[in-house]
Amino acid sequence: PYQNIEATGFGIGGILRFYIGNHFCTGIYGGSQKTHYNSTGSANSYISLGYGGPFVGYTYFKNRMRLCLSVGAGGGKIRNLHIQTQTGSVLNQAEYFINSAFVAYPMISLDYMMTQKIAFTSQLICIGALYNQNDLYFCPVFQIGILFNR
């Protein structure tokens, strides 16, 4: 609520994806992103977003590569510790906000099948969260990971 936050954050998440037919996918996706930022009086302020929900999309598979283009939406929660002044480890003036949010996210996934059961995946996601009736929070996410297939 006090400033624009432009910093690199880190997070963890998971995806459960089902393939229906040759070109349709659906599932659930969720995670948590946390970003530390410098406020006027401290380097220890942070904002975090926990989110999750269902998604649907298009998938294309050729050779050992799979491309998935999907969009999802769900609920989320934004937590923000904004420190105005701090002396050592004592917070002299700080505010802690917790807000529920509606979250929507387009997602692009590129998977490389290392074996029939294991794939290396990379995902690019642009998370948008609407909270406090008219405040927006955007969080671009790049993820890499391992998918286990049945």
Side-chain angles (χ1 to χ4, degrees):
Y2 296 103
Q3 67 188 48
N4 287 332
I5 301 169
E6 296 180 8
T8 302
F10 295 95
I12 189 167
I15 190 167
L16 178 63
R17 193 184 305 151
F18 298 100
Y19 303 104
I20 302 168
N22 290 330
H23 298 291
F24 183 71
C25 65
T26 187
I28 56 173
Y29 171 73
S32 177
Q33 307 291 327
K34 187 173 186 178
T35 301
H36 289 272
Y37 65 94
N38 293 331
S39 55
T40 323
S42 176
N44 297 316
S45 294
Y46 74 84
I47 190 165
S48 69
L49 170 65
Y51 54 91
F55 69 88
V56 295
Y58 172 83
T59 185
Y60 178 76
F61 184 79
K62 184 169 183 173
N63 299 327
R64 300 180 92 163
M65 302 294 288
R66 179 185 302 271
L67 174 68
C68 293
L69 305 171
S70 55
V71 63
K77 189 165 286 196
I78 295 177
R79 300 173 193 271
N80 183 201
L81 175 64
H82 186 84
I83 303 170
Q84 295 283 26
T85 57
Q86 179 177 1
T87 306
S89 62
V90 176
L91 304 181
N92 299 334
Q93 185 179 3
E95 294 183 88
Y96 185 63
F97 302 96
I98 301 175
N99 294 295
S100 295
F102 171 76
V103 181
Y105 42 90
M107 197 170 13
I108 299 172
S109 300
L110 185 61
D111 308 337
Y112 174 75
M113 302 297 293
M114 294 186 288
T115 70
Q116 188 177 2
K117 301 279 187 187
I118 300 174
F120 175 78
T121 186
S122 60
Q123 299 174 352
L124 184 60
I125 306 159
C126 184
I127 300 169
L130 177 64
Y131 67 102
N132 270 355
Q133 298 179 355
N134 62 355
D135 291 328
L136 289 173
Y137 175 80
F138 289 102
C139 181
V141 176
F142 176 72
Q143 299 181 146
I144 56 173
I146 301 292
L147 291 176
F148 300 97
N149 301 304
R150 291 186 70 184

